[in-house]
Amino acid sequence: MAITSAVKAIRTPSRSKLLIALMMITLSAFAATAGSASGPLDGMSRVGKGKMNWLWLELYHASLYTVDGRYQIGRYPQALEIQYSRDIKAKDLLDATGSEWQKQGVPDAQVQAYLAKLAPLWVDVQRGDTLLLVANNESQGEFFHNGQSLGSVNDTGLMQAFLGIWLRDDTSEPSLRAQLLGESSCDC
């Protein structure tokens, strides 16, 4: 009988409106809390997006972000996001990174020091995974894998060298650089 009385009380128009109003307030509060969770790219806008191929194989898509969506050397924060199109072992990522630094004339001892800082952070990636570097300033950055922090690096040379793989004038991939800087478009 108590259940019947409770059901009748809820069915009255004034109680129904009150119940609906309470549910809406609860849902609004939940939505506001869910929407307020910050991500590493919050407050940043994409400068450009490009695609990296090796021969006929698509390796990854990359996007460059800044606060105002415009790139300027030495202005931070900057973020470089890479979404992989295939599975790649962390060791292979490190080898490729070291190879690019050597092509840009970074001394071997410095390449090894940089790789030693990255090795404990980087993980194997699967097709669809993202790696992201958010460089907060010229000496501090944080790496993310699929939105989860891998750790921070405090090293002025490393931040500049890592971003330089894609952004230096003498990059090995000038067409990708142009896409990242928004100078040319990508069909990706």
Side-chain angles (χ1 to χ4, degrees), residues 95-108 111-112 115:
D95 290 346
T97 299
S99 176
E100 289 301 315
W101 284 332
Q102 289 171 336
K103 288 177 190 175
Q104 291 181 343
V106 177
D108 286 338
V111 169
Q112 295 310 312
L115 293 176

Side-chain angles (χ1 to χ4, degrees), residues 8-72:
K8 285 181 183 177
I10 291 174
R11 287 187 182 166
T12 61
S14 60
R15 299 238 185 219
S16 295
K17 289 179 185 176
L18 178 62
L19 185 60
I20 290 170
L22 287 173
M23 286 191 318
M24 290 178 68
I25 290 168
T26 303
L27 288 173
S28 295
F30 177 75
T33 302
S36 67
S38 66
L41 291 174
D42 284 357
M44 300 187 90
S45 298
R46 185 169 26 210
V47 176
K49 180 178 182 176
K51 180 170 51 173
M52 175 63 183
N53 293 319
W54 182 71
L55 300 174
W56 65 90
L57 297 174
E58 182 179 295
L59 298 178
Y60 60 79
H61 291 99
S63 295
L64 176 65
Y65 296 86
T66 64
V67 172
D68 62 2
R70 291 179 289 178
Y71 175 73
Q72 182 180 344

Side-chain angles (χ1 to χ4, degrees), residues 126-146:
Q126 305 291 316
R127 180 184 178 153
D129 282 0
T130 60
L131 283 181
L132 169 69
L133 167 65
V134 177
N136 297 311
N137 56 52
E138 68 180 14
S139 62
Q140 194 278 327
E142 185 171 2
F143 285 94
F144 296 85
H145 176 246
N146 294 334

Side-chain angles (χ1 to χ4, degrees), residues 162-181:
F162 186 78
L163 292 168
I165 291 172
W166 293 269
L167 302 178
R168 280 179 43 157
D169 290 337
D170 63 348
T171 180
S172 65
E173 297 296 327
S175 62
L176 177 57
R177 178 184 185 269
Q179 292 170 344
L180 290 172
L181 297 180

